[in-house]
């Protein structure tokens, strides 16, 4: 892949008071950056002269002071980026990355701290991120609040789900922005772990439509070692403020310079399809970090799970244990309740079905010990990821699947016990490779251990990527369920094949979702990764 | 080792209202258990007719109700234990375990929950613990508070240090119990991580002396998967109440039945030396779990550390980095500040000195990258435990030490970043074995990551043992610095050679400790493990 970049550098000694403009390559989008009141960074965005984002603040609160005013502009750099790259998988063989870039180098006069804001303006939207160069006065710092705003120009229609630190599995609500507060409580459905934080908090990707037909989508790209961003609406001013998932101490992010935040993205288009066609999210992620990607092959699979979801069988094996001690219990001496789904015979039926109907693989949930009391107990040693139930003959199934040309997909439910999963991860991945499994569906049902953590805080974001990177070492593909909504990381780590980070097909067994649900998902959940696993129903 | 046990079982249908007595084998100690008010478990202890512990409560608060009243006694079992066992190392080749045991089987009538209290009365003291049999109404439960009391009969003299969730490195204060409140604030010295929780909170092992010459020592044994216990004195009644180190949510312990608490121990004697001679703490721990112990060999060693403690050299290598990124920085291209202690030449001098003067091994601190900004930044990826500084020629030192018949001791400072250590532990231990290291000194300086945790809560207690068990897999001996005070676990895991869990020799460089400090340690810190590392000074 040849990189074609044309670079322009224009250095300013000082920023004009009226703002510094950046145009998209086609000139239709215009981003304006300025220092409001002479010291407070702000930006705005126009599309064909129509306001997309009104003047909006940029900056942070740190635990030792603000990083949102007292700024002076040291210089500005401009570049045009134009190259193409080849995704390891997906609908396209090549993706064009074409934008005008402007980096504003700021210095806070009160603290002598430096912060740069990098803007990339594509024909279909804007990405902006904060960068902190290494410096004496900002080596390690704690972000308590990100102040990035997205000021809406009018009371748009939005497709939104409630902001939550622990779940993304909500039905979408279509409403005016001004109606979010009134509708939010009724938009909350039960989940096994959920933490609502605001009456006007919503999740990204947030899809909006203006009354004059403009489509606006707000999300983030390249969420690495930073908490996931939510949006809280000030419904008097129609300004969205970013809101980061806090850690157990109430802080947002621990940072070490040099470092940067994820990209904040605003996709804009005349047509709804423009939103879907945008590749901003992938383009703002880093190139692939896996050298040999030959083993990464998306596939179609069926799974032994729907029959458990619908209550026809169980993940668990027995009713005879009051509680399970995975490291010491011997389940071969325990009577089964006879409703275990993942039996050898049943799995072989699935393998036969897959082979017959053109599915590449079979996922099996409930194959491993621990499901008798896996949920709701804040139990740390909940699964060991290597011990099958007595009626699941793993070597036999391995051989049988191979004979039918069907791959087996591993299942690692963690029950939110992160330390337990990380401690056992090497053995679990080794076990997979020893038995011919190249892909794992992981799960994070329930409240997180270590206690006090939520699914989308910095520490957990770190974990999800740790699991992906370690999987890559073992040449294992990952589909993470209940992990954070994707932000295009599958470009950098293409072994992150999928993310079930939405209200999925399983809800068809729990009363269903709204009729428009799967038609809204491409504009919301799928913005961060164009692929979602929609497992086929069992026969 | 031959086990000699004489068992007596006496089953009562109901407990006498006046209490049930248990005598020590020599009859001098008498423990009385009863249900105060007919339903509240209490105990007391006498020695030759003198009150050691006045009537004291037993029980818990759980997050869903109390476990301290509404009890009825279902039955009582009595046993005599008399056997000897052979410690893997230590002063003695055999240790006698001789006590009378009484287990009280209780049922809470209000909840139908069962709890047993097991008492073991030795000639030199009492051990008691709570046991929770597996039961429908108590499968998983959360202890918010342990209510165990130790009621003193008079205003004894005590040797105490302030109760703290994060450090044990205080000077001892000798005072009347009633003076603790007035003296506690002045007994607090600075530490890099410290969390005082009460004006009358003290740590165990707590040594006391009565005015009529009785010596009483309160501690705990076999602290496994449970928070460390502190004592808070009610100085109006002179009753100590147990206080467990909380988790980030403010809870104390997450339990899964069947399970038990650590033993609460009260050592009693006419002479101070009786306290030192007691083997209660070891006897109350489980037998050795390591099959082949031939590789476990305590040794005398010197260390490259005192010159850093005194400021003559540094752990770090360079001043040229504002912050270190251990996974990407290349220190070979960075200029050293010239004050790095752990250089090849310097370490060889230590090896020579050890060989010449009869020391078995050399510990080297500051050998690995990361010390430039190892502390105070809540930095997670602080050390990798496998990359030496450019001026520490590890293979050369390995060869040189071997040629001199000297062993090298590894150093793993974690800086309290627990997840980082656990993630890298396998590689770190493998690296040790690859390079001939059989022992590691680990360290836990500073506040704990994951944030919100303290050094002595349940999650951290779990970690310390995880590190010991995993080290045993690799045949590695551990001396853990800043880990929790020992509770006799070295019987079960004799690869836990030492614990620097006290104000150690290093304080001689920080202004010194009180003159009586090392004469008090055997009665306090060393109760839980008879061995403390007192590293030799550098030459």
């Amino acid at each position: 892949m040849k990189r074609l970049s044309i670079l322009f550098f224009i250095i300013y000694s000082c920023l004009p008071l009226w703002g510094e403009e950046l145009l998209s390559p086609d000139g239709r989008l215009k981003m304006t950056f300025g220092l409001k009141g002479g010291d407070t960074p702000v930006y705005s965005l126009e599309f064909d002269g129509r306001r997309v984002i009104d003047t909006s603040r940029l900056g942070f609160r740190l635990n030792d002071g603000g990083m949102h005013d007292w700024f002076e502009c040291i210089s500005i750099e401009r570049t045009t980026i134009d190259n193409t790259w080849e995704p390891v998988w997906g609908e396209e063989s090549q993706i064009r990355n074409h934008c005008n870039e402007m980096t504003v180098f700021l210095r806070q006069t009160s603290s002598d701290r430096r912060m740069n804001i990098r803007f990339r303006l594509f024909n279909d939207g804007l990405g902006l991120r904060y960068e902190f160069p290494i410096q004496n006065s900002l080596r390690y710092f704690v972000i308590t609040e990100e102040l990035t705003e997205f000021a809406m120009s009018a009371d748009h229609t939005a497709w939104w789900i409630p902001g939550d630190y622990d779940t993304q599995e909500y039905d979408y609500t279509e409403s005016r922005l001004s109606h979010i507060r009134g509708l939010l409580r009724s938009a909350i459905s039960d989940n096994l772990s959920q933490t609502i934080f605001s009456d006007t908090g919503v999740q990204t990707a947030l899809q909006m439509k203006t009354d004059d037909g403009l489509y606006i989508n707000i999300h983030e790209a390249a969420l690495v070692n930073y908490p996931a961003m939510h949006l809280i609406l000030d419904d008097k001013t129609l300004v969205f403020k970013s809101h980061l998932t806090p850690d157990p101490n109430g802080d947002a992010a621990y940072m070490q310079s040099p470092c940067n935040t994820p990209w904040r993205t605003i996709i804009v288009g005349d047509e709804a399809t423009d939103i879907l066609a945008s590749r901003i999210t992938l383009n703002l992620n880093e190139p692939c970090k896996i050298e040999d990607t030959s083993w990464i092959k998306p596939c179609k699979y069926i799974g032994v799970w729907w029959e458990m979801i619908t209550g026809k069988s169980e993940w668990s094996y027995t009713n005879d244990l009051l509680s399970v001690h995975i490291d010491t219990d011997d389940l071969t001496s325990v009577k089964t309740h006879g409703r275990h789904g993942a039996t050898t015979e049943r799995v072989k039926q699935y393998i036969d079905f897959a082979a017959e109907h053109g599915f590449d693989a079979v996922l099996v949930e409930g194959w491993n010990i621990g499901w008798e009391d896996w949920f709701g107990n804040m139990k740390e040693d909940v699964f060991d990821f290597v011990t099958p139930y007595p009626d699941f003959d793993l070597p036999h199934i391995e051989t049988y699947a191979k004979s039918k040309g069907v791959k087996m997909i591993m299942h690692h439910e963690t029950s939110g016990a992160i330390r337990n999963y990380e401690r056992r991860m090497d053995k679990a991945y080794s076990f997979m490779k020893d038995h011919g499994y190249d892909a794992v569906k992981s799960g994070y049902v329930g409240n997180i251990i270590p206690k006090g953590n939520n699914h989308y805080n910095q520490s957990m974001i770190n974990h999800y990527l740790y699991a992906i990177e370690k999987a890559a070492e073992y040449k294992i593909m990952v589909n993470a369920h209940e992990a954070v909504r994707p932000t295009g990381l599958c470009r950098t780590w293409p072994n992150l094949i999928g993310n079930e980070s939405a209200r999925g097909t399983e809800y068809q067994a729990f009363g269903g979702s709204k009729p428009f649900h799967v038609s809204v998902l491409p504009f919301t959940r799928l913005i961060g990764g164009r692929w979602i696993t929609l497992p086929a129903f069992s026969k």
Side-chain angles (χ1 to χ4, degrees), chain A residues 169-231:
Chain A
E169 299 182 354
Y170 291 121
D171 244 332
Y172 284 89
T173 297
E174 178 184 333
S175 84
R176 293 277 178 188
L177 297 178
S178 59
H179 294 169
I180 290 176
R181 183 184 299 276
L183 293 169
L184 192 130
R185 290 286 142 185
S186 63
I188 300 167
S189 49
D190 284 346
N191 194 276
L192 295 175
S193 175
Q194 59 191 147
T195 309
I196 297 283
F197 53 84
S198 164
D199 279 347
T200 58
V202 297
Q203 304 192 25
T204 73
L206 175 69
Q207 180 61 52
M208 287 173 285
K209 185 181 178 183
T210 70
D211 283 351
D212 57 352
L214 207 60
Y215 292 84
I216 304 171
N217 186 290
I218 301 177
H219 190 37
E220 61 183 314
L223 175 57
V224 174
N225 202 22
Y226 197 83
M229 178 180 75
H230 312 265
L231 300 173

Side-chain angles (χ1 to χ4, degrees), chain A residues 33-35 39-43 56-62 65-71 106 108 114-119 128-132 141-150 226 229 240-244 252 255 261-262 264:
Chain A
F33 172 82
L35 289 175
D39 72 343
T40 300
V42 295
Y43 77 106
S56 295
R57 282 176 76 185
L58 296 161
F60 298 91
R61 274 190 239 286
L62 309 187
M67 285 279 284
H68 50 85
D69 54 9
W70 292 92
F71 277 108
L106 299 170
Q108 193 175 39
R114 283 170 295 127
M115 175 175 85
N116 310 330
I117 307 177
R118 189 178 298 267
F119 298 92
L128 74 89
R129 77 175 184 189
Y130 304 88
E131 300 179 351
F132 302 93
F141 57 105
V142 180
I143 294 174
T144 54
E145 200 179 346
E146 182 178 324
L147 302 175
T148 309
E149 290 178 352
F150 306 87
Y226 197 83
M229 178 180 75
F240 281 110
K241 298 181 186 225
S242 60
H243 176 72
L244 303 177
M255 310 290 281
T261 67
R264 279 66 186 91

